[in-house]
Amino acid sequence: MSYNGRNINAGVPVSANLQLENESQLAALYLSVRNQTLALCAPLEVEDYQVQPMADASPPKWHLAHVTWFFETFLLKPFSNNYRIFDPSFERLFNSYYNGVGKPFSRANRGFLSRPTLARVLEYRHYVDEKMLELIQTSMIDEISFRIQLGLNHEQQHQELILTDIKYNLGNNPLRPMYVDQKADDSLEFNARWVEFDGGLVESGTDAGQEFVFDNEMPRHQVFLQPFRLSTNLVSNGEFVEFIEDGGYERPELWLSDGWAGLQAQQDQRWSMPLYWRKQGDNYFEYRLTGEQLADPNRPVCHVSAYEADAYARWKGCRLPTEHEWEHAAVDAPVEGNFVDSKLFHPSGQSGEGMQSQFGNVWEWTQSGYGAYPSFKPFDGQLGEYNGKFMANQLVLRGGSCASPRSHIRPTYRNFFYPPDRWQFSGIRLAQDLISKERL
Amino acid sequence: MSYNGRNINAGVPVSANLQLENESQLAALYLSVRNQTLALCAPLEVEDYQVQPMADASPPKWHLAHVTWFFETFLLKPFSNNYRIFDPSFERLFNSYYNGVGKPFSRANRGFLSRPTLARVLEYRHYVDEKMLELIQTSMIDEISFRIQLGLNHEQQHQELILTDIKYNLGNNPLRPMYVDQKADDSLEFNARWVEFDGGLVESGTDAGQEFVFDNEMPRHQVFLQPFRLSTNLVSNGEFVEFIEDGGYERPELWLSDGWAGLQAQQDQRWSMPLYWRKQGDNYFEYRLTGEQLADPNRPVCHVSAYEADAYARWKGCRLPTEHEWEHAAVDAPVEGNFVDSKLFHPSGQSGEGMQSQFGNVWEWTQSGYGAYPSFKPFDGQLGEYNGKFMANQLVLRGGSCASPRSHIRPTYRNFFYPPDRWQFSGIRLAQDLISKERL
Amino acid sequence: MSYNGRNINAGVPVSANLQLENESQLAALYLSVRNQTLALCAPLEVEDYQVQPMADASPPKWHLAHVTWFFETFLLKPFSNNYRIFDPSFERLFNSYYNGVGKPFSRANRGFLSRPTLARVLEYRHYVDEKMLELIQTSMIDEISFRIQLGLNHEQQHQELILTDIKYNLGNNPLRPMYVDQKADDSLEFNARWVEFDGGLVESGTDAGQEFVFDNEMPRHQVFLQPFRLSTNLVSNGEFVEFIEDGGYERPELWLSDGWAGLQAQQDQRWSMPLYWRKQGDNYFEYRLTGEQLADPNRPVCHVSAYEADAYARWKGCRLPTEHEWEHAAVDAPVEGNFVDSKLFHPSGQSGEGMQSQFGNVWEWTQSGYGAYPSFKPFDGQLGEYNGKFMANQLVLRGGSCASPRSHIRPTYRNFFYPPDRWQFSGIRLAQDLISKERL
Amino acid sequence: MSYNGRNINAGVPVSANLQLENESQLAALYLSVRNQTLALCAPLEVEDYQVQPMADASPPKWHLAHVTWFFETFLLKPFSNNYRIFDPSFERLFNSYYNGVGKPFSRANRGFLSRPTLARVLEYRHYVDEKMLELIQTSMIDEISFRIQLGLNHEQQHQELILTDIKYNLGNNPLRPMYVDQKADDSLEFNARWVEFDGGLVESGTDAGQEFVFDNEMPRHQVFLQPFRLSTNLVSNGEFVEFIEDGGYERPELWLSDGWAGLQAQQDQRWSMPLYWRKQGDNYFEYRLTGEQLADPNRPVCHVSAYEADAYARWKGCRLPTEHEWEHAAVDAPVEGNFVDSKLFHPSGQSGEGMQSQFGNVWEWTQSGYGAYPSFKPFDGQLGEYNGKFMANQLVLRGGSCASPRSHIRPTYRNFFYPPDRWQFSGIRLAQDLISKERL
């Protein structure tokens, strides 16, 4: 069993994205992804599972139930003979946004559902897992196989959200509790350079093939790129501190208008540094899932919004890359880097010669609005709501983060968030036009 | 040991309000009230302790910690030798509104504190209880005795809030889980009449004496009452349904201007019946802490705002009583009725001849703005923030409810909430002017 | 023609409140009040008539139309034969809050009505005036006479609102334009003392008689007062500056809880001094309708909310008076003082020996919630919405201001606003308990 | 003097965009554009100039002053010798969003500025015009010439805004007053077909040349287009009614997620038809600047948001075009159509064979996020805030509308608004992929 030429080891997340040869491979994959979700929750207290500290950061308990609901709704109900629904009320409670399935329970109120309890949700998972394994053994048709892979990729997305959401909860708790108590990896010397790209007519996106891909990555199509260059490295904490100390958060000329207006409208806690940062004396501290530490100047800056990323780039005389530039630079590189599989739960330093990995560490903001590729076609039926209906007002991020499963990420993978969002592990890679056309 | 001539039985809440003769009585009282809080929480799941379904309805875990913080802050820190603070961060986390102690943690965010866990909060309670019992044994000066009684009365207030807040949580959960699973008491025939009072120059409030009273009940002072009459009974569900079906919620002429404006501003769920009610076909159901049932026409209506109470009264050609009328009518009656001690957790029916008890069942809205009695003097020091600073924008409610400990209530007891509040067990007693002066 | 023993001079507002002997007196009174409204608007530009700088501060054009609507709706439509409505759309546009007449146009959007134009509104006034004078000549029945007096008193209330609302508009305009350009009256030495009152069983309110009174002032009834004292003078600017400089706006222990919460929630312009004040260097300036000037330390402080008034009083070891205390002290004094008739449009200094006038200058906040007197009965029919439905959440203010017509004010007159309101000419008179009962 | 081969007639707006040969041409152009602004305001009442019915719709008086401020700030202050500022307070009052010039007056409060009066603003215009004409005669350097053309193009943009903003004011007034009273042009038969385009590597945007263009249109660059087709006609009212009556506003599967969420959050007036439409019985009426009329089924639908446009397209099995597709189809066509020059002030019908004009009538929503072209370079200095800082969260619209001056529009012209905006004259042109790639 292989995926992209890499062996899958026990103890690290396996791919939800492999070329499946038989039922037992699929069953093993299913169990592996499902168990990985529980493994990520192992350090949590019952209370941690319950809390929704902002509308975007759902309770871990809700995530556990919702990903299970996905299998029940899109696999067991339509395809499993004589399937008995676990609890009819769950259809609405754990529907995220599929209007085709019914009116979802209010998103902002998920944290108010003290019932069903965590124990009951774990029963739900167990029940659905048993039925899913039966289904896998009995009816391995293509539609089911595709949906199971979709369900597993969906669960991997929620694995990352569990980490970002629990970080928002714990990182805003005055006690600053750790998610896990472990020593950080060593810092590395920081050393950024430019790499140049000729551009021209290139291909972007992918077509359906043997491996699972999302509808929003398709189809493969041509785009024309002007010559550009990318930084070999992500912007570091140390560089970002220079921006802060040069008055970056106080200078409207550096900011997009909506970003600056957002700053002015913030009441108590006007942004003056990345999320989870705190200044004490002359020092900047950052909360990590492993506890609060000095913001290491050599590590990539993280938890910045697109507005901050754009303002930083403008301050540097640079810009954010487009998603097509990013993909063109990344498309032939191995998908290696600091993913959740490393269990560091925080960006690590970058070193060495040449272009550093564009994968892992932090999601990289692009300047590209999240939209449809030419001839985009959503998944069929209710699953068409998965990606397409979000194609407005959001920006594309690329590359995966230290909270993403490695097997979940591809060069063509498109993540998307709103410009002000900063609770994801999101950072900055700089770009520049290689030949700047002067106006006559 | 006696209180108001009644024996205190094991198994029911004891009075926090007794005339204390020695240290062991006080210690017994302390333990009894503290244990009663835990007893009320016994049916809860860990998740239930965590949830704050609206800003007003704090998590039970927070209540458990806050009442403990009260003893630590106002007794142990100032009076206990060598007291070691349990956790310095709790000073802010569990401060409700005492600015004199420091800036409290944001009220609306209490539900986000997944840490400290419930287990840790129970440790906190245990630790403080041990230190409090030591304090009680060693330094029984008046100031301490007074503060302990205040702390116990404070805890009784939070016992009631735990019930109202958990009801708001469970009663808004689509699963409608029960707090306890038990059969309701029998319904009784409803039969209301008027009782007349001459008014004149009467006394209201009380002076400090051997029994504990709050500062806002003092001093005893004269007020002049016009002749009036009060209904022997609380308004019943059956009567309130008549108001609903006569278009009561659709007729602006029945409503105070602010109440009507509030109705118009409600988005999703415009009030059309009391809180926790639901109409299905021609039937009205109400959620009780013992589960959802038909709204019994013979029981007192409950969970209405002052605006609804006032509109109902106007529809009936009546008005709400003033707090002084209410107290004048109640002052000599025994404090008996359906309190939390009955463990019914819901208003029970009223029957028999004569004036029904004004105590228990539901808090009775008055038309009196919550303000200072003449020569009102707040408690000294930081405890002066207990009652006085709330003397604006709220109305007085009287009599205690089925969620109040019986020993906590007195004829002079003044509760206060904002006119739109309805998550307390609040109901309606009608009044009328006995001699209506006609305008010339 | 006399009113309260005072002669009415040409050139000053005549009373809307007199004992009318015949039709021509009523016609003269009608024209006098109506013309006074226009006289107050004379200094305005067309643009000034249009602006609604906050929901509470309606455009002068709207005021002009609304008071006319009042006569059309409550006099001409029901009582005038063959009355032809001026414009059917005005019924809704200029209805303030009479739900009995129909759904009013959205209050907050009055400033968006660029049409009808001012010219058209003045036509409307002229048309209604003609028809009203005809009505007065032809059918002088009691009901009409009462309603005309009500309409004129209503118009006087809006005369005051025109001034307070135009002040809010001009006073918040960065150009700080004057309403009228005139020199202020001379300052006077400030000298406050206490006057003591025995209290006891006193009478409050009034009964219907020959003179017009509002329903909320009736009926006359007994109240019992504890001994108290009142300051002879209103709190001065100079005294209030001491409060500011002693950190009055920064000390939560001085504030009612709702007031302090309001301060914390203010974003851009957290209150730190009265409305219309500005600090420059060490000097405090105040915007007056006659332009910006140094805040004269000897004049009464003005444009403070009830929260600021209460905080100031607490800082001084005093309290605000109740409305009954205020009325008891004022009831036998002549209604003399700095009213709009003086055309100063700003509080003037107070001097001399003895109790200073409680009338004019500024509305005096009381601690009394605005509610019904015992046996209160609203006006009949649609006019019952005039006062009664506002009896929640507001506080009573007494005495009239420099923007009130003198003839409009009585010792029993009850004005009412919400505690945070400060755009009225509202100030502070201190009270104290004469004998402070000590707790035992 | 020629512009794009067309003669400029007296009585219609002249181009702000011409190749200028000498000072007197520039002076004539300056006066022509400036006077056209006043001509558009001629039908307004003084009150209409004052009103800001929503934050986006500034008062015409403010527009008149702001465009004048632009000349004063960016021409007279830096380039005119001995220029005396008209009024120093105007620097802040009439600054729209140039943080480089200073902190602008609050945008949402522009309607509160009753002063300066309209008369004073007209004086301001007159004063600046005199000084500008002097400047034009004395120092015709390139930088000034460019800035004057920018100022005139800027004023043309505000000419359109004056019309859209006054429409929002009058169209929401219950009196539904007309801007001008004139008969509509005749309706034409509606007949839409598809036109196909091969796509491939095409050019988009423009470079600086002799004619004025905005920075956001530059530079000219290559883009690759897949084969596509465009409708010859804009979507008509009649077609849009079919969407409405097929439940278009009630079916979440047709809507982008943010659009649907917006619908759910609307309180009073949930969108159920385009802005300015009203349903009475079975008929749909639309408010036009010439008064309310039946929504003509053969005219283009107008005043729809991008969400409605996108939902309509999805309902039809189509999509919105990208801005590059739109430009590719339009680039060689003459800029002819129903512009403000026709003085119809409303979209007119489309007829005839072949591709209908893409210019005039309504701004056509594209699916393209408004962003920087490759190697985009903002204008220098403070003028760099003109376009670039808005490159987030907005969508590009193309083609100009019946409220745009013809001379202002080019095939490369990019307008931009937020997806929910509908007060502009915005409509829908459908696109489709010509060869739909099927997923394997």
Side-chain angles (χ1 to χ4, degrees), chain B residues 99 201 208 218 220 222 224 226 252 256-258 307 374-375 377 389-390 392-393 418-419 433 437 439, chain C residues 99 201 208 218 220 222 224 226 252 256-258 307 374-375 377 389-390 392-393 418-419 433 435 437 439:
Chain B
N99 293 300
L201 199 58
M218 298 189 279
R220 187 162 177 83
Q222 289 171 293
F224 189 86
Q226 313 295 324
L256 286 164
S257 179
D258 288 349
Y307 294 133
S375 302
K377 189 172 166 300
K389 73 179 182 181
F390 301 105
N393 303 317
Y418 293 94
D433 301 316
K437 277 195 183 175
R439 197 171 305 132
Chain C
N99 293 300
L201 199 58
M218 297 189 280
R220 189 163 176 81
Q222 289 171 291
F224 189 86
Q226 312 297 323
L256 285 164
S257 179
D258 288 350
Y307 294 133
S375 303
K377 187 171 166 301
K389 73 180 180 181
F390 301 106
N393 303 317
Y418 293 94
D433 302 317
I435 300 157
K437 275 193 184 176
R439 200 171 304 132

Side-chain angles (χ1 to χ4, degrees), chain A residues 180-426:
Chain A
V180 288
D181 184 1
Q182 68 186 27
K183 202 174 160 302
D185 59 320
D186 291 335
S187 180
L188 297 170
E189 193 181 353
F190 179 79
N191 184 20
R193 293 173 306 99
W194 291 109
V195 175
E196 302 193 346
F197 297 87
D198 292 337
L201 199 59
V202 305
E203 300 229 310
S204 193
T206 185
D207 288 320
Q210 291 178 318
E211 294 182 15
F212 175 85
V213 293
F214 281 111
D215 51 3
N216 64 9
E217 302 170 63
M218 297 189 280
R220 188 160 176 83
H221 64 286
Q222 289 171 293
V223 296
F224 189 85
L225 301 181
Q226 312 296 324
F228 66 100
R229 51 186 177 191
L230 290 184
S231 175
T232 53
N233 284 42
L234 295 161
V235 171
S236 71
N237 287 335
E239 291 177 307
F240 202 81
V241 164
E242 291 176 43
F243 169 77
I244 296 171
E245 307 217 321
D246 195 38
Y249 283 90
E250 309 296 332
R251 293 166 53 184
E253 71 272 19
L254 299 174
W255 290 72
L256 287 163
S257 180
D258 288 350
W260 186 251
L263 275 191
Q264 308 314 308
Q266 286 157 12
Q267 298 187 37
D268 293 336
Q269 302 181 295
R270 199 175 176 275
W271 291 354
S272 59
M273 53 188 86
L275 181 63
Y276 303 128
W277 282 37
R278 185 169 64 84
K279 190 175 185 185
Q280 189 169 0
D282 290 339
N283 295 317
Y284 294 89
F285 291 84
E286 66 178 344
Y287 172 78
R288 306 177 183 182
L289 282 168
T290 55
E292 194 177 58
Q293 305 204 14
L294 273 169
D296 178 353
N298 292 323
R299 282 173 206 267
V301 70
C302 191
H303 299 297
V304 292
S305 66
Y307 294 133
E308 288 158 296
D310 180 88
Y312 178 85
R314 186 166 294 114
W315 175 75
K316 271 292 210 191
C318 301
R319 59 171 175 81
L320 299 180
T322 68
E323 64 166 323
H324 300 302
E325 290 169 342
W326 191 98
E327 183 173 329
H328 177 59
V331 72
D332 293 325
V335 180
E336 293 174 351
N338 175 21
F339 289 106
V340 73
D341 316 57
S342 75
K343 298 186 180 171
L344 294 173
F345 306 117
H346 199 74
S348 56
Q350 310 159 302
S351 75
E353 296 302 307
M355 187 80 181
Q356 299 299 310
S357 175
Q358 293 177 260
F359 299 103
N361 264 345
V362 297
W363 287 101
E364 305 183 15
W365 282 110
T366 75
Q367 64 174 249
S368 300
Y370 174 55
Y373 283 170
S375 302
F376 164 68
K377 186 170 169 302
F379 290 144
D380 294 330
Q382 295 164 337
L383 291 168
E385 297 188 61
Y386 200 101
N387 278 313
K389 73 179 182 182
F390 301 105
M391 290 177 172
N393 303 316
Q394 308 203 42
L395 293 176
V396 173
L397 299 98
R398 293 296 197 112
S401 82
C402 58
S404 314
R406 185 182 59 180
S407 66
H408 185 66
I409 300 302
R410 290 169 295 281
T412 59
Y413 193 98
R414 307 171 80 199
N415 202 350
F416 47 92
F417 282 95
Y418 293 94
D421 290 341
R422 12 190 249 171
W423 94 111
Q424 296 298 304
F425 288 85
S426 49

